[in-house]
Amino acid sequence: MFGLLSSDIGIDLGTANTLVHVSGRGIVVNEPSVVAVDRRNNKVLAIGSEAKRMLGRTPGEVIAIRPMKDGVIADFQLVESLLTKLIKTAQKYPLFFLRPRIVIGVPSGITEVEKRAVLDAARKAGAREVHLVAEPMAAAIGMGIPVEDPSGSMVIDIGGGTSEIAVIALYGIVCDTSVRVGGDEMDEAIISYLKKNYNLLVGESMAEKIKMQIGAAYPLERELEMEVKGRDLVQGIPHTLRISSAEIREALAEPVNAIVEAVRRALEQTPPELSADLMDKGIVMTGGGAQLRGLDELLRRETNLPVNVIDDPMVCVCKGTARILEDMGKYYKVLMDSQR
């Protein structure tokens, strides 16, 4: 009976969002990785979307925190609380009765200490068995790339806290580059640009909205505009201004260039035989940051390789963890490599 009722769970534990896939049910949780805490007693008040709505709006005794920073655990206890809540939400039955088997996607560049922190948090959250898998590998499996083939495939996974570029062949990552630059750094770059050039202070939510509505990495055929609301730092009063996508492209230049340089470094490390494969197969982009307008075009021009953005790029890592759970025998080598 236990085997019939138990559910395998695949988790994409991201800096910006956490996704949970349950076997037989699909993706059942897609929530921001945010936790609201009462500082007076350290009590968790809200998790996910409800907590994200509190960012920058809480009274003094309540703080909304992202417990993941740059793709790794910044606050162990809050990540444990986040995982416990999301696993409970995903499970049909109480955790004390069914302890799930879990595969978690993590950045390929994390340290052994950071790996142990993720494993411990998942076990304390109620898992009976935990496996880690590098996010680029999970994304490739989620996209349906034949990772078992000897021919190389390059995956660029741009998340909230990290951007990872990996060349994959024969169930392994042949070479990879991980930089702690992603969607969060893009938001910070927009905040800094508006503050420096317009004396306008905006919050994280507004910066993210600007990035999504008019953000671009490459000149657009028709530049976009939007109204931005914030606080005038000189007069100290609310202020609205109109800003263009050309200005936001300038604001995003530094984080975007860091990603382009990381791709170049990964290509320089790629063995010649696999480089030839990339000429034919090109590069596949995934992760929320891959949706930035013009980023694929910029990379095409910088690398002279075909670059494609996968449909629904934010769910690929989570889907990959689910496929690994469906056939752990096939992906045994992938899991063993990730534990090293």
Side-chain angles (χ1 to χ4, degrees):
M1 181 178 175
F2 183 92
L4 290 173
L5 293 178
S6 62
S7 295
D8 291 335
I9 293 178
I11 299 176
D12 176 8
L13 185 60
T15 303
N17 293 280
T18 297
L19 287 80
V20 180
H21 182 287
V22 177
S23 56
R25 294 168 59 200
I27 294 175
V28 296
V29 175
N30 184 352
E31 292 277 0
S33 304
V34 183
V35 181
V37 180
D38 188 327
R39 284 198 286 200
R40 294 168 298 188
N41 53 20
N42 289 325
K43 183 181 178 183
V44 174
L45 301 177
I47 283 173
S49 300
E50 187 182 349
K52 187 176 181 181
R53 286 194 292 270
M54 298 181 183
L55 278 173
R57 300 171 183 269
T58 57
E61 66 274 9
V62 178
I63 51 172
I65 304 170
R66 293 180 182 272
M68 299 291 294
K69 178 68 176 172
D70 297 331
V72 296
I73 292 178
D75 190 310
F76 179 84
Q77 287 186 324
L78 290 186
V79 168
E80 186 185 326
S81 297
L82 177 69
L83 284 173
T84 301
K85 172 70 184 301
L86 296 181
I87 291 170
K88 280 183 178 177
T89 302
Q91 286 283 81
K92 284 184 176 179
Y93 302 95
L95 277 180
F96 66 81
F97 181 58
L98 289 173
R99 295 171 66 82
R101 181 174 60 170
I102 296 178
V103 171
I104 302 176
V106 295
S108 58
I110 68 170
T111 65
E112 288 303 314
V113 173
E114 291 164 343
K115 282 183 182 179
R116 281 199 298 273
V118 176
L119 290 168
D120 289 347
R123 289 185 185 117
K124 287 186 177 181
R128 77 174 189 274
E129 182 183 327
V130 189
H131 300 277
L132 305 183
V133 60
E135 285 175 354
M137 178 62 78
I141 293 169
M143 287 185 274
I145 292 174
V147 297
E148 66 275 12
D149 286 358
S151 61
S153 301
M154 178 175 270
V155 174
I156 301 174
D157 180 16
I158 304 173
T162 58
S163 294
E164 301 188 72
I165 305 97
V167 177
I168 294 167
L170 293 171
Y171 289 113
I173 294 176
V174 179
C175 57
D176 72 299
T177 303
S178 179
V179 289
R180 298 199 171 183
V181 175
D184 288 352
E185 282 69 24
M186 293 180 191
D187 296 343
E188 288 168 12
I190 291 170
I191 292 170
S192 178
Y193 179 88
L194 293 173
K195 187 176 179 181
K196 180 180 177 182
N197 291 275
Y198 293 101
N199 288 314
L200 186 73
L201 184 64
V202 299
E204 290 178 29
S205 298
M206 177 56 73
E208 184 181 26
K209 187 177 178 181
I210 294 167
K211 177 184 67 182
M212 293 173 70
Q213 287 196 14
I214 64 171
Y218 195 77
L220 304 175
E221 288 184 14
R222 178 175 166 272
E223 296 293 348
L224 306 171
E225 289 188 345
M226 73 173 285
E227 279 193 349
V228 176
K229 297 176 182 179
R231 175 160 58 86
D232 189 308
L233 288 170
V234 177
Q235 298 181 342
I237 59 175
H239 182 63
T240 302
L241 63 84
R242 198 155 189 86
I243 197 162
S244 72
S245 53
E247 291 173 287
I248 299 305
R249 186 167 63 251
E250 182 185 338
L252 294 174
E254 188 174 336
V256 166
N257 288 338
I259 293 170
V260 172
E261 284 303 312
V263 173
R264 282 207 191 101
R265 288 199 302 275
L267 288 169
E268 287 169 3
Q269 297 168 13
T270 305
E273 291 82 1
L274 298 182
S275 293
D277 295 334
L278 299 183
M279 291 293 293
D280 298 326
K281 298 168 79 171
I283 299 170
V284 183
M285 293 174 63
T286 186
Q291 298 174 99
L292 181 67
R293 293 173 189 82
L295 184 54
D296 54 342
E297 181 60 31
L298 178 64
L299 287 170
R300 276 187 211 105
R301 292 183 177 268
E302 293 290 336
T303 64
N304 292 318
L305 292 171
V307 179
N308 300 297
V309 181
I310 196 74
D311 293 336
D312 209 358
M314 293 185 69
V315 303
C316 290
V317 171
C318 193
K319 283 184 175 179
T321 61
R323 287 183 179 174
I324 291 169
L325 282 163
E326 287 169 7
D327 195 346
M328 294 190 75
K330 177 179 179 180
Y331 296 112
Y332 177 79
K333 185 178 183 299
V334 169
L335 294 174
M336 289 303 99
D337 286 348
S338 297
Q339 309 305 325
R340 292 173 187 168

